[in-house]
Amino acid sequence: FAEFGTRRRRDFKTQNMVVCALSQLHCGPGQCIGTSNVYLARKYNMKPVGTVGHEWTMAIAALEGTYENGNSLALRKWHATFKGSLGIALTDTFGTTAFFANFDRQLASLYAGVRHDSGDPFQFIERVHAHYTKIGISPATKTIVFSDGLDPEKAIRVKKYCAKYAVNCSFGIGTNFTNDFLCASDPTKQSKAANIVIKLLKCGDKYCVKLSDVTSKHTGDACEVERAQTSLTRLGLLD
């Protein structure tokens, strides 16, 4: 697993303390492979890790004027830039149905795996396994990176389910590591972490949107979100 707690941390002091402790864990199963905080990675001699953000695909789709092929265009441009490094594909910028429609054998061969960031992780595992199998790629050669609302216990359950489907997995755990506090006024209640989301609104003069697998996570100009939903639904690419 990796530490992904920068955006929703309680404060820097908390994250610094957590990453310091994680950096001292011995190698072996369940080890921490790095942190998404570049400063702390340097400070504690850890690997800086992360995946592409939604903003990349949002911007490419807006600039190219297509939601239908936005994922494939973004994936090809990303690979052309990084030549296989940073090779985890983000699946839910316009919903996973639209993603898998774009994620053909050629692209799937170029990428080391995919990232789950919204929706049911167990259903996602089944869907990823089915897709790789359908296009003739062994799921055992690929990795799913999970990064949606995880804690260690949930990560273990997800890992066991991945093992059932013979697919590799890794985890980005954030809020649970850096903002897991009880309320000072009532220690029986969990202190709610800030729900901070950073997405593009426009790229140049083009509106950008994200259509998550969880409807409440849709972001962007309301009219453009509706237009994107209508376009993808008409094509059978939005659940």
Side-chain angles (χ1 to χ4, degrees):
F1 69 90
E3 186 276 321
F4 274 16
T6 298
R7 179 158 49 100
R8 293 178 180 170
R9 68 191 183 192
R10 177 58 59 102
D11 51 34
F12 175 78
K13 179 181 178 181
T14 300
Q15 187 182 21
N16 183 61
M17 177 176 63
V18 168
V19 175
C20 177
L22 291 174
S23 71
Q24 298 173 43
L25 293 178
H26 297 295
C27 295
Q31 67 177 303
C32 180
I33 62 172
T35 172
S36 63
N37 188 300
V38 178
Y39 170 74
L40 292 176
R42 180 179 181 183
K43 180 178 181 180
Y44 294 110
N45 195 30
M46 298 175 75
K47 182 180 180 180
V49 297
T51 69
V52 62
H54 295 99
E55 291 88 346
W56 173 258
T57 306
M58 292 168 67
I60 297 299
L63 292 172
E64 298 288 351
T66 173
Y67 293 113
E68 178 184 0
N69 298 309
N71 283 293
S72 61
L73 289 170
L75 289 168
R76 293 183 195 284
K77 291 177 186 292
W78 185 265
H79 185 270
T81 302
F82 294 103
K83 313 299 182 185
S85 296
L86 304 175
I88 296 296
L90 184 56
T91 60
D92 69 335
T93 306
F94 306 122
T96 52
T97 298
F99 172 82
F100 284 123
N102 279 191
F103 201 52
D104 58 20
R105 181 180 171 82
Q106 181 187 36
L107 276 174
S109 298
L110 293 175
Y111 279 80
V114 297
R115 174 181 160 201
H116 170 268
D117 196 49
S118 63
D120 187 307
F122 304 100
Q123 292 179 7
F124 185 78
I125 294 166
E126 297 172 7
R127 197 165 187 178
V128 168
H129 181 274
H131 182 75
Y132 278 130
T133 302
K134 179 181 177 181
I135 60 178
I137 293 177
S138 170
T141 65
K142 300 298 180 179
T143 298
I144 304 176
V145 176
F146 296 88
S147 59
D148 182 36
L150 295 172
D151 56 37
E153 291 75 20
K154 184 175 181 179
I156 291 170
R157 293 197 303 272
V158 171
K159 177 175 173 53
K160 290 179 178 178
Y161 206 69
C162 282
K164 177 181 176 181
Y165 283 87
V167 61
N168 302 301
C169 59
S170 184
F171 304 90
I173 304 178
T175 308
N176 179 257
F177 280 169
T178 61
N179 209 335
D180 184 26
F181 287 85
L182 298 176
C183 291
S185 58
D186 185 352
T188 65
K189 294 182 179 180
Q190 193 78 16
S191 177
K192 189 174 181 180
N195 186 13
I196 302 169
V197 177
I198 303 171
K199 296 290 180 287
L200 292 179
L201 176 62
K202 278 187 174 183
C203 192
D205 62 346
K206 308 286 187 181
Y207 278 113
C208 302
V209 303
K210 174 179 177 282
L211 304 179
S212 172
D213 286 324
V214 177
T215 305
S216 62
K217 289 188 175 182
H218 290 353
T219 59
D221 174 77
C223 292
E224 188 63 19
V225 167
E226 184 177 358
R227 191 177 79 81
Q229 288 178 302
T230 301
S231 173
L232 291 174
T233 300
R234 186 182 299 117
L235 294 166
L237 298 176
L238 190 66
D239 293 334

